[in-house]
């Protein structure tokens, strides 16, 4: 029987105008599908004219300028529809969806759908629930005492995965997929008996525990930042009174 980390996987990644999932916008996205370990990936890319200025700091990260996006990007509404339908197709095909730091990418997509489609990610997934594998959560749980950061670049170094063109949505999605396979192989004795659906449920618990630990560390260091324990999607903020 094929182990999940050797079998079909899809991966999703975005590049954005910033790190605020409630206010920032998607400027590019990609879905990468690979049917087996070592198989040729199928890549779908989207480029978006977000309708708002792209801060210089964001451009420094992903290289996408206002001029480039205005000339080559599409309007957000149809793009968000296509992305959501693509993710729904992966779920319907029973392909686990790899999303590095899932609460960011999935939540910002949900907010874009609410903004431009008067819908939500949940509505597109009503008949095919998400089954997410988040390499950041997996690695942090399985190798919890390792020192150092756990960005995608760091995980690629740790698991000897080549990352060509960091902060390109397709390159990052492919790298996250490869890292997830590598995590599965390295910790096979603890992972191979768990199905992706079981791992999805466990990751929600693991992420909440990781968030509590980080929140406690912030409190000890006097940092006011709040850590959201929700995974893989943050709940919608209540409307202001």
């Amino acid at each position: 029987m094929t182990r999940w980390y050797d079998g079909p996987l899809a991966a999703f990644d975005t590049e954005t105008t910033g790190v605020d999932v409630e206010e920032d916008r998607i400027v590019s996205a990609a879905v990468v599908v690979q049917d087996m370990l070592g198989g040729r990936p199928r890549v779908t890319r989207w480029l978006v004219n977000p309708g708002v200025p792209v801060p210089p700091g964001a451009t420094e990260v992903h290289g996408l300028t206002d001029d480039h996006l205005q000339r080559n990007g599409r309007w957000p509404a149809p793009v968000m529809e296509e992305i959501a339908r693509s993710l729904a197709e992966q779920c319907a095909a029973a392909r686990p969806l790899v999303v590095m730091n899932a609460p960011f990418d999935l939540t910002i997509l949900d907010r874009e759908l609410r903004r431009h489609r008067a819908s939500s990610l949940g509505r597109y997934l009503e008949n095919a629930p998400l089954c997410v594998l988040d390499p950041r959560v997996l690695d942090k749980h399985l190798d919890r005492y390792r020192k150092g950061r756990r960005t995608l670049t760091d995980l690629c170094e740790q698991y000897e995965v080549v990352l060509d063109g960091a902060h390109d949505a397709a390159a990052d999605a492919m790298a996250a997929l490869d890292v997830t396979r590598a995590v599965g192989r390295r910790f096979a004795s603890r992972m191979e008996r768990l199905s992706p659906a079981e791992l999805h449920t466990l990751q929600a618990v693991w992420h909440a525990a990781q968030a509590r630990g980080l929140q406690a560390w912030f409190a000890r260091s006097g940092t006011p930042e709040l850590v959201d324990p929700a995974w893989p999607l943050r709940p919608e903020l209540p409307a202001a009174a």
Side-chain angles (χ1 to χ4, degrees):
M1 182 176 179
T2 302
R3 296 166 296 190
W4 66 261
Y5 46 84
D6 293 332
L9 293 176
F12 171 60
D13 189 73
T14 66
E15 297 299 329
T16 65
T17 60
V19 297
D20 184 342
V21 295
E22 304 298 338
E23 299 296 335
D24 281 307
R25 311 297 175 90
I26 293 172
V27 296
S28 70
V31 170
V32 175
V33 179
Q34 189 180 45
D35 291 326
M36 65 183 71
L37 175 66
R40 184 172 182 175
R42 303 188 298 279
V43 181
T44 305
R45 297 177 173 86
W46 293 271
L47 193 65
V48 187
N49 179 353
V52 300
V54 180
T59 296
E60 288 179 10
V61 172
H62 49 57
L64 298 171
T65 64
D66 280 329
D67 181 67
H68 180 75
L69 293 171
Q70 289 168 10
R71 290 175 179 271
N72 301 286
R74 297 167 58 203
W75 290 115
V79 172
M80 301 311 149
E81 168 89 7
E82 290 172 16
I83 295 172
R85 289 191 180 280
S86 178
L87 298 190
E89 287 173 9
Q90 306 314 316
C91 294
R95 292 191 192 95
L97 186 66
V98 173
V99 191
M100 172 74 184
N101 191 19
F104 179 83
D105 291 87
L106 295 180
T107 303
I108 201 168
L109 173 60
D110 176 79
R111 303 313 191 251
E112 288 277 56
L113 288 166
R114 293 173 188 274
R115 182 178 294 120
H116 296 292
R117 304 295 304 184
S119 187
S120 68
L121 183 56
R123 291 182 184 175
Y124 288 87
L125 301 173
E126 287 175 339
N127 299 317
L130 274 170
C131 180
V132 175
L133 299 171
D134 187 333
R136 185 173 182 271
V137 175
L138 293 172
D139 171 74
K140 197 169 184 178
H141 177 78
L142 294 164
D143 198 359
R144 67 184 69 183
Y145 300 113
R146 190 179 78 247
K147 302 290 185 182
R149 303 193 312 162
R150 299 178 194 250
T151 66
L152 180 59
T153 300
D154 297 319
L155 295 186
C156 286
E157 292 178 0
Q158 178 68 24
Y159 291 94
E160 299 180 348
V161 168
V162 175
L163 173 54
D164 289 327
H167 299 297
D168 168 83
D172 285 357
M174 189 70 236
L177 191 152
D178 288 340
V179 166
T180 300
R181 291 196 189 280
V183 170
R185 292 194 300 274
R186 181 172 297 185
F187 297 98
S189 62
R190 299 164 64 184
M191 299 281 275
E192 62 184 356
R193 295 182 182 179
L194 294 169
S195 70
E198 290 170 327
L199 279 171
H200 178 97
T201 301
L202 286 169
Q203 284 169 101
V205 177
W206 296 343
H207 179 271
Q210 293 163 8
R212 289 193 298 270
L214 182 57
Q215 190 71 75
W217 185 86
F218 282 153
R220 291 193 299 270
S221 62
T223 302
E225 185 174 349
L226 297 177
V227 184
D228 194 323
W231 183 98
L233 180 68
R234 297 176 189 171
E236 184 183 14
L237 291 176

